[in-house]
């Protein structure tokens, strides 16, 4: 018995530095489901036994399919979100709902490019139930109600710059991202395209439906998902108890207090606007916004430095206005709290556990960790 | 202590009939990764600081993106598979690798449409490590190296017929599928489109790369994935130790022994052909093939009954030929072993635990469960 306790203590101590022998996850329930979406119906009458006498090519399967389509009377279930969830034993009351950014899927929150545990696992280990979302028209939620063309145009280097890894092929000095070829290969292969037009209204509708299903929770967004997150909290103000936004792309300002467009040689940012009633909903919940490293404080000719300069500046303006109206927004520029080198993918960087610990502490301070 | 043992026994007994209080899953490791795929490179030279003097519209972000694309010199990482894995404590030596069928993703193996546990959970509970695959150009593996058009044409009713639920809106009598509207809604929303041309060569290459990474394993395929499975075992004959095929679409016959096309009013089936050396690789591993219920033994004017009539017939012919050459193939037509009502989605049907138990027993008989 004494040996067993000693062994357990040793294992716990060792697991701090060596993830491979981390203690097992105890999962009470896990699975996936679709939520939200609409049904599109074609005109006509479905005929399960179409008359094929006029058509009889070498591929009758496609003839039958096409005859079915032409007869109409069929449905398409699309524009839903798909959700993968895990509920650990002794789960806290409020689950975490994770929404990815542009070009990404729920894989953003899973294993890191170099094989470490992502925030999915890290927060399960902190006893939070975790809901990962593939937004409508992305990843598992590929069925769109609107046609789409997918272009196979090489653009990895553009995203390497935009996601603030450096200027390809050079990484920023001291970047908290694994620089080996295998990790970068894994990172690029996380990208997955839109299968229909990107639509914040459609996506936030599906997230509202998710909160209607699971009840109160904390929404964690990344990048382009940030704007969807603000909309979701406006649509489900009783259910979204807090928002954590990792480098969000834009912010909803109240009418009459919308700041000017901020210019960048790589693309300006024009602030979003909402009506005052909707804006006020965002003053009733705690919000924390994280930005990483290598963000310039003056115009820069490096894409990543400049693109996040304008967004960090806008984040600070937005926080001031929300807080002036009685809200509770904190903007954490990580280098200022001693966490260095972060790219745009803070939840995957080499120090993703440090940022998770910072967030965990904030959740505790805000009493969201019961 | 005595109370605790009594409680545990009670909980175990109760969990047979009530999944909600099933014992927790003990997961030693879980995550996701990409595997296989190629890199496509555009001509030209990547310029991270493109000269934008000539272009300066109201959307410089897209200007910069387009200038980047036009300059070229960029890469696209595509055509990989994406894999989600869970390794339970005390895992058996051989993991299970699951490949979905047409229009599906790894969700096929997760929660059932009515919220019960899918084969993912059921086999984790039997201590198998589980690897779920999204094949190249589907779901999380959306990045294709070839352009594609996605049509949002309603076709649910065609698939309802093809997947042998019945003739829409009527289910087959005694079908082992939940008939409530919410379940059918969930089922339709599992569909997700190809984001590039379907290509068995590309997909089986990625699966070979997966087995190269994880080592020996057992491949479980569904429907259209069946043909990919045979190709994978031919490409990685030392690693694929057994194949379980749920209603596969086609079969690779050895040259000189290819049977005639089998006709169906809803689409014929022309058997696949491989060379003798490749065929022989399939005679060295145990193979089990499952077919469900409502498959006619003579031509039928009901799509589902007739489409699987021809495939079940071909499966039996293939099994005979493989076995004649020294192989070990069993075709299990489930109604003949007393398991009734199965649709094409055997692993999600109301009796999915019964079929899982049958498969589990086969794995034991073949000594694949160590």
């Amino acid at each position: 018995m004494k040996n067993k306790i000693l062994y357990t203590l040793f294992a716990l101590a060792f697991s701090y530095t060596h993830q491979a022998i981390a203690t097992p996850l105890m999962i009470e329930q896990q699975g996936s489901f679709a939520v939200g979406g609409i049904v599109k119906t074609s005109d006509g009458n479905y005929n399960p036994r179409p008359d094929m006498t006029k058509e009889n090519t070498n591929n009758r399967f496609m003839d039958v399919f096409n005859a079915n389509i032409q007869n109409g009377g069929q449905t398409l279930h699309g524009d839903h979100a798909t959700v993968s969830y895990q509920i650990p034993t002794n789960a806290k009351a409020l689950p975490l709902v994770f929404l990815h950014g542009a070009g990404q899927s729920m894989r953003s929150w899973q294993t890191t490019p170099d094989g470490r545990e992502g925030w999915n696992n890290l927060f399960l280990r902190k006893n939070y139930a975790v809901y990962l979302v593939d937004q409508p028209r992305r990843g598992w939620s590929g069925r769109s109600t609107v046609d789409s063309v997918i272009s196979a145009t090489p653009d990895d280097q553009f995203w390497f710059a935009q996601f603030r890894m450096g200027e390809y092929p050079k990484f920023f000095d001291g970047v908290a991202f694994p620089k080996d070829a295998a990790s970068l290969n894994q990172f690029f292969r996380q990208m997955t395209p839109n299968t229909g037009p990107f639509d914040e209204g459609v996506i936030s509708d599906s997230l509202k439906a998710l909160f209607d299903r699971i009840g109160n929770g904390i929404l964690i967004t990344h990048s382009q998902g940030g704007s969807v997150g603000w909309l979701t909290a406006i649509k489900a103000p009783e259910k979204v108890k807090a928002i954590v936004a990792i480098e969000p792309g834009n912010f909803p300002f109240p009418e009459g207090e919308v700041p000017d467009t901020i210019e960048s040689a790589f693309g300006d940012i024009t602030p979003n606007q909402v009506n005052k009633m909707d804006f006020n909903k965002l003053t009733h919940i705690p919000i924390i916004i994280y930005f990483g490293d290598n963000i310039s404080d003056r115009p820069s000719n490096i894409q990543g430095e400049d693109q996040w300069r304008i967004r960090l500046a806008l984040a600070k303006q937005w926080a001031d206005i929300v807080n002036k109206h009685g809200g509770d927004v904190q903007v954490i520029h990580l280098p200022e709290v001693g966490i260095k080198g972060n790219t745009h993918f803070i939840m995957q960087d080499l120090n993703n556990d440090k940022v998770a610990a910072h967030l965990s502490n904030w959740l505790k301070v805000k009493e969201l960790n019961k």
Side-chain angles (χ1 to χ4, degrees), chain A:
Chain A
M1 188 64 178
K2 199 188 263 178
N3 275 350
K4 198 170 171 184
I5 290 172
L6 277 173
Y7 174 77
T8 305
L9 285 172
F10 175 78
L12 279 172
F14 198 59
S15 72
Y16 271 95
T17 53
H18 195 281
Q19 248 175 7
I21 61 149
T23 49
L25 292 164
M26 300 272 286
I27 306 296
E28 193 127 305
Q29 243 187 297
Q30 66 175 20
S32 61
F33 56 85
V35 69
I38 62 168
V39 179
K40 175 179 165 180
T41 306
S42 52
D43 293 337
N45 293 302
Y46 171 63
N47 178 5
R49 306 176 189 186
D51 177 10
M52 303 303 298
T53 47
K54 283 182 201 158
E55 307 182 68
N56 198 347
T57 70
N58 286 322
N59 191 346
R60 263 179 282 172
F61 181 82
M62 285 312 296
D63 287 344
V64 173
F65 181 79
N66 289 328
N68 261 265
I69 297 303
Q70 281 154 29
N71 283 337
Q74 298 211 45
T75 58
L76 182 163
H77 287 65
D79 294 353
H80 46 270
T82 312
V83 179
S84 173
Y85 68 95
Q86 292 187 290
I87 302 172
T89 54
N90 304 313
K92 295 176 188 290
L94 292 178
L96 307 180
V97 174
F98 289 90
L99 176 66
H100 57 77
Q104 295 280 311
S105 69
M106 59 177 91
R107 287 203 64 217
S108 286
W109 311 101
Q110 298 175 329
T111 311
T112 67
D114 54 341
R116 289 168 297 112
E117 292 195 317
W119 277 20
N120 179 36
N121 284 15
L122 296 185
F123 281 93
L124 282 170
R125 294 189 184 287
K126 297 177 197 290
N127 288 95
Y128 287 94
V130 166
Y131 291 78
L132 307 180
V133 176
D134 271 5
Q135 72 189 21
R137 307 174 182 173
R138 186 81 57 79
W140 290 349
S141 312
R143 202 77 166 115
S144 161
T145 60
V146 181
D147 293 344
S148 192
V149 174
I150 297 182
S151 161
T153 306
D155 59 9
D156 290 335
Q157 282 64 28
F158 176 86
W159 295 111
F160 184 94
Q162 188 70 16
F163 293 159
R164 237 174 40 254
M165 268 123 203
E167 281 192 313
Y168 191 87
K170 199 179 165 305
F171 283 93
F172 288 129
D173 288 339
V175 73
F177 190 87
K179 292 177 194 167
D180 60 292
S183 295
L184 193 56
N185 177 60
Q186 284 291 324
F187 180 75
F188 284 141
R189 293 183 188 282
Q190 283 178 37
M191 296 293 278
T192 198
N194 287 319
T195 56
F198 175 80
D199 188 322
E200 291 179 354
V202 168
I203 303 168
S204 52
D205 280 350
S206 76
L207 285 177
K208 180 194 183 309
L210 173 58
F211 281 99
D212 284 344
R213 176 173 168 148
I214 67 173
N216 297 345
I218 297 159
L219 181 55
I220 302 185
T221 65
H222 181 225
S223 193
Q224 190 184 51
S227 294
V228 177
W230 315 129
L231 271 181
T232 302
I234 287 167
K235 289 181 182 178
E238 335 73 32
K239 303 272 173 60
V240 178
K241 293 300 182 190
I243 294 182
V244 180
I246 300 178
E247 300 204 355
N250 208 330
F251 305 85
F253 287 83
E255 49 193 356
E257 299 178 68
V258 183
D260 291 339
T261 290
I262 312 182
E263 293 193 351
S264 158
F266 298 88
D268 307 339
I269 186 165
T270 299
N272 288 335
Q273 177 179 323
V274 288
N275 67 49
K276 283 193 174 155
M277 206 178 70
D278 283 346
F279 175 81
N280 281 336
K281 293 176 187 166
L282 298 172
T283 65
H284 298 310
I285 53 172
I287 294 172
I288 191 164
I289 302 173
Y290 286 102
F291 279 85
D293 209 340
N294 294 305
I295 297 174
S296 184
D297 56 5
R298 68 202 68 180
S300 162
N301 60 357
I302 295 175
Q303 179 181 338
E305 286 186 359
D306 207 55
Q307 279 289 286
W308 299 100
R309 168 185 67 82
I310 60 176
R311 290 181 172 79
L312 174 55
L314 195 64
K316 288 175 178 170
Q317 293 183 51
W318 187 71
D320 286 347
I321 290 179
V322 180
N323 292 339
K324 192 185 78 183
H325 287 277
D328 174 13
V329 181
Q330 279 177 59
V331 177
I332 305 293
H333 187 195
L334 287 169
E336 292 173 7
V337 298
I339 300 178
K340 312 265 187 177
N342 284 99
T343 71
H344 183 54
F345 279 70
I346 292 170
M347 64 287 196
Q348 299 196 340
D349 284 335
L350 293 171
N351 56 12
N352 69 339
D353 53 342
K354 283 205 184 70
V355 187
H358 188 283
L359 172 55
S360 186
N361 185 59
W362 180 80
L363 292 168
K364 188 177 165 193
V365 169
K366 298 298 171 186
E367 299 188 343
L368 298 162
N369 69 332
K370 302 301 169 189

